[in-house]
Short mmCIF file of all heavy atoms in Angstrom, two decimals:
data_model
loop_
_atom_site.label_atom_id
_atom_site.label_comp_id
_atom_site.label_asym_id
_atom_site.label_seq_id
_atom_site.Cartn_x
_atom_site.Cartn_y
_atom_site.Cartn_z
N LYS A 18 12.59 7.25 9.41
CA LYS A 18 12.70 8.70 9.36
C LYS A 18 14.05 9.14 8.82
O LYS A 18 15.07 8.67 9.27
CB LYS A 18 12.66 9.29 10.76
CG LYS A 18 11.46 9.19 11.53
CD LYS A 18 11.50 10.28 12.58
CE LYS A 18 11.52 9.68 13.97
NZ LYS A 18 11.15 10.54 15.02
N ALA A 29 2.16 30.86 5.12
CA ALA A 29 2.01 31.95 4.13
C ALA A 29 1.08 32.95 4.76
O ALA A 29 0.00 32.58 5.20
CB ALA A 29 1.41 31.40 2.85
N TYR A 32 2.89 38.03 7.93
CA TYR A 32 4.21 38.29 8.50
C TYR A 32 5.27 38.37 7.40
O TYR A 32 6.37 38.87 7.64
CB TYR A 32 4.55 37.20 9.56
CG TYR A 32 5.00 35.90 8.93
CD1 TYR A 32 6.35 35.59 8.84
CD2 TYR A 32 4.08 35.02 8.38
CE1 TYR A 32 6.76 34.41 8.21
CE2 TYR A 32 4.48 33.87 7.78
CZ TYR A 32 5.83 33.56 7.67
OH TYR A 32 6.23 32.43 7.08
N GLU A 43 -3.46 43.59 -4.63
CA GLU A 43 -4.75 42.97 -4.97
C GLU A 43 -5.89 43.56 -4.14
O GLU A 43 -7.04 43.54 -4.55
CB GLU A 43 -4.70 41.46 -4.73
CG GLU A 43 -3.76 40.73 -5.66
CD GLU A 43 -4.02 40.97 -7.13
OE1 GLU A 43 -5.19 40.99 -7.54
OE2 GLU A 43 -3.04 41.16 -7.88
N LEU A 51 -9.03 33.16 -4.62
CA LEU A 51 -9.81 32.65 -5.74
C LEU A 51 -9.05 32.70 -7.07
O LEU A 51 -9.56 32.31 -8.09
CB LEU A 51 -11.12 33.42 -5.87
CG LEU A 51 -12.05 33.32 -4.65
CD1 LEU A 51 -13.32 34.13 -4.86
CD2 LEU A 51 -12.41 31.87 -4.34
N ALA A 72 4.10 22.11 1.91
CA ALA A 72 3.40 23.30 1.45
C ALA A 72 1.94 23.09 1.81
O ALA A 72 1.40 22.01 1.61
CB ALA A 72 3.54 23.43 -0.06
N ASN A 94 -7.51 43.44 9.81
CA ASN A 94 -7.33 43.51 11.26
C ASN A 94 -8.59 43.25 12.10
O ASN A 94 -8.60 43.53 13.29
CB ASN A 94 -6.76 44.89 11.68
CG ASN A 94 -5.40 45.13 11.05
OD1 ASN A 94 -4.61 44.19 10.92
ND2 ASN A 94 -5.15 46.35 10.63
N GLU A 109 -32.26 24.18 6.33
CA GLU A 109 -32.84 23.26 5.33
C GLU A 109 -32.63 23.77 3.90
O GLU A 109 -32.41 22.99 2.98
CB GLU A 109 -34.33 23.06 5.58
CG GLU A 109 -34.59 22.10 6.73
CD GLU A 109 -36.03 22.13 7.23
OE1 GLU A 109 -36.83 22.97 6.77
OE2 GLU A 109 -36.32 21.31 8.10
N PHE A 113 -25.48 23.71 -1.99
CA PHE A 113 -24.15 23.92 -2.57
C PHE A 113 -24.33 24.42 -4.00
O PHE A 113 -24.38 23.67 -4.95
CB PHE A 113 -23.39 22.58 -2.54
CG PHE A 113 -22.07 22.61 -3.26
CD1 PHE A 113 -21.24 23.71 -3.20
CD2 PHE A 113 -21.64 21.47 -3.97
CE1 PHE A 113 -20.00 23.72 -3.86
CE2 PHE A 113 -20.42 21.48 -4.62
CZ PHE A 113 -19.61 22.60 -4.58
N GLU A 136 10.49 16.85 -2.61
CA GLU A 136 10.55 16.35 -1.24
C GLU A 136 9.63 17.11 -0.27
O GLU A 136 9.54 16.78 0.89
CB GLU A 136 11.98 16.23 -0.73
CG GLU A 136 12.96 17.36 -0.78
CD GLU A 136 13.27 18.00 -2.14
OE1 GLU A 136 13.09 17.41 -3.22
OE2 GLU A 136 13.69 19.16 -2.08
N ILE A 140 -0.11 19.74 1.32
CA ILE A 140 -1.22 19.62 2.28
C ILE A 140 -2.44 20.38 1.80
O ILE A 140 -2.36 21.55 1.44
CB ILE A 140 -0.79 20.14 3.67
CG1 ILE A 140 0.50 19.44 4.16
CG2 ILE A 140 -1.90 19.97 4.71
CD1 ILE A 140 1.01 19.98 5.49
N THR A 148 -16.47 24.00 13.67
CA THR A 148 -15.88 25.35 13.58
C THR A 148 -16.58 26.18 12.50
O THR A 148 -16.85 27.37 12.71
CB THR A 148 -14.36 25.22 13.34
OG1 THR A 148 -13.76 24.80 14.58
CG2 THR A 148 -13.70 26.53 12.92
N ALA A 151 -19.90 27.19 13.85
CA ALA A 151 -19.74 28.23 14.86
C ALA A 151 -19.69 29.61 14.17
O ALA A 151 -20.38 30.54 14.58
CB ALA A 151 -18.47 27.97 15.69
N SER A 157 -19.22 35.84 13.26
CA SER A 157 -17.84 36.33 13.36
C SER A 157 -17.04 35.33 14.20
O SER A 157 -17.58 34.32 14.65
CB SER A 157 -17.79 37.70 14.02
OG SER A 157 -18.09 37.55 15.41
N LEU A 179 -27.20 21.23 10.23
CA LEU A 179 -26.16 22.08 9.65
C LEU A 179 -24.82 21.35 9.65
O LEU A 179 -24.10 21.33 8.65
CB LEU A 179 -26.08 23.40 10.47
CG LEU A 179 -24.99 24.38 10.08
CD1 LEU A 179 -25.11 24.85 8.64
CD2 LEU A 179 -25.02 25.63 11.01
N THR A 187 -17.76 19.23 3.08
CA THR A 187 -16.32 19.19 3.44
C THR A 187 -15.67 17.91 2.92
O THR A 187 -14.56 17.96 2.40
CB THR A 187 -16.17 19.31 4.96
OG1 THR A 187 -16.78 20.53 5.38
CG2 THR A 187 -14.71 19.34 5.38
N LEU A 218 -18.83 17.37 22.65
CA LEU A 218 -17.71 17.04 21.76
C LEU A 218 -18.04 15.89 20.83
O LEU A 218 -17.76 15.93 19.63
CB LEU A 218 -16.47 16.68 22.61
CG LEU A 218 -15.19 16.52 21.80
CD1 LEU A 218 -14.62 17.85 21.39
CD2 LEU A 218 -14.14 15.72 22.58
N ASN A 238 -7.15 6.58 -2.02
CA ASN A 238 -6.23 5.74 -1.26
C ASN A 238 -4.93 6.49 -1.04
O ASN A 238 -4.62 7.44 -1.73
CB ASN A 238 -6.00 4.37 -1.92
CG ASN A 238 -5.93 4.47 -3.41
OD1 ASN A 238 -5.39 5.46 -3.91
ND2 ASN A 238 -6.46 3.51 -4.11
N ASP A 268 -2.20 21.77 20.44
CA ASP A 268 -1.99 23.20 20.69
C ASP A 268 -0.94 23.35 21.80
O ASP A 268 -0.55 22.38 22.45
CB ASP A 268 -3.32 23.87 21.06
CG ASP A 268 -3.90 23.33 22.32
OD1 ASP A 268 -3.40 23.69 23.42
OD2 ASP A 268 -4.85 22.50 22.27
N ASP A 272 0.25 19.27 27.54
CA ASP A 272 1.49 18.74 28.10
C ASP A 272 1.92 17.56 27.21
O ASP A 272 1.19 16.60 27.03
CB ASP A 272 1.22 18.27 29.54
CG ASP A 272 2.47 17.72 30.19
OD1 ASP A 272 2.84 16.57 29.91
OD2 ASP A 272 3.09 18.47 30.95
N ALA A 276 0.45 13.79 26.67
CA ALA A 276 -0.13 13.45 25.35
C ALA A 276 0.41 12.11 24.87
O ALA A 276 -0.37 11.25 24.43
CB ALA A 276 0.21 14.55 24.36
N ASN A 279 -1.17 9.32 26.83
CA ASN A 279 -2.63 9.14 26.86
C ASN A 279 -3.38 9.25 25.53
O ASN A 279 -4.47 8.72 25.41
CB ASN A 279 -3.24 10.17 27.83
CG ASN A 279 -2.82 9.89 29.26
OD1 ASN A 279 -3.31 8.94 29.86
ND2 ASN A 279 -1.90 10.70 29.77
N VAL A 319 8.82 9.14 19.43
CA VAL A 319 7.58 8.86 18.69
C VAL A 319 7.64 9.62 17.34
O VAL A 319 8.51 10.46 17.15
CB VAL A 319 6.31 9.32 19.46
CG1 VAL A 319 6.09 8.48 20.70
CG2 VAL A 319 6.41 10.80 19.83
N VAL A 329 1.11 31.03 12.66
CA VAL A 329 2.14 32.07 12.78
C VAL A 329 1.44 33.42 12.98
O VAL A 329 0.51 33.76 12.23
CB VAL A 329 3.01 32.18 11.48
CG1 VAL A 329 4.04 33.29 11.59
CG2 VAL A 329 3.66 30.84 11.14
#
Side-chain angles (χ1 to χ4, degrees):
K18 293 202 243 199
Y32 78 99
E43 295 304 319
L51 299 180
N94 299 322
E109 281 166 355
F113 173 38
E136 52 304 337
I140 306 177
T148 286
S157 71
L179 176 59
T187 302
L218 188 76
N238 39 36
D268 63 76
D272 181 282
N279 293 287
V319 292
V329 178

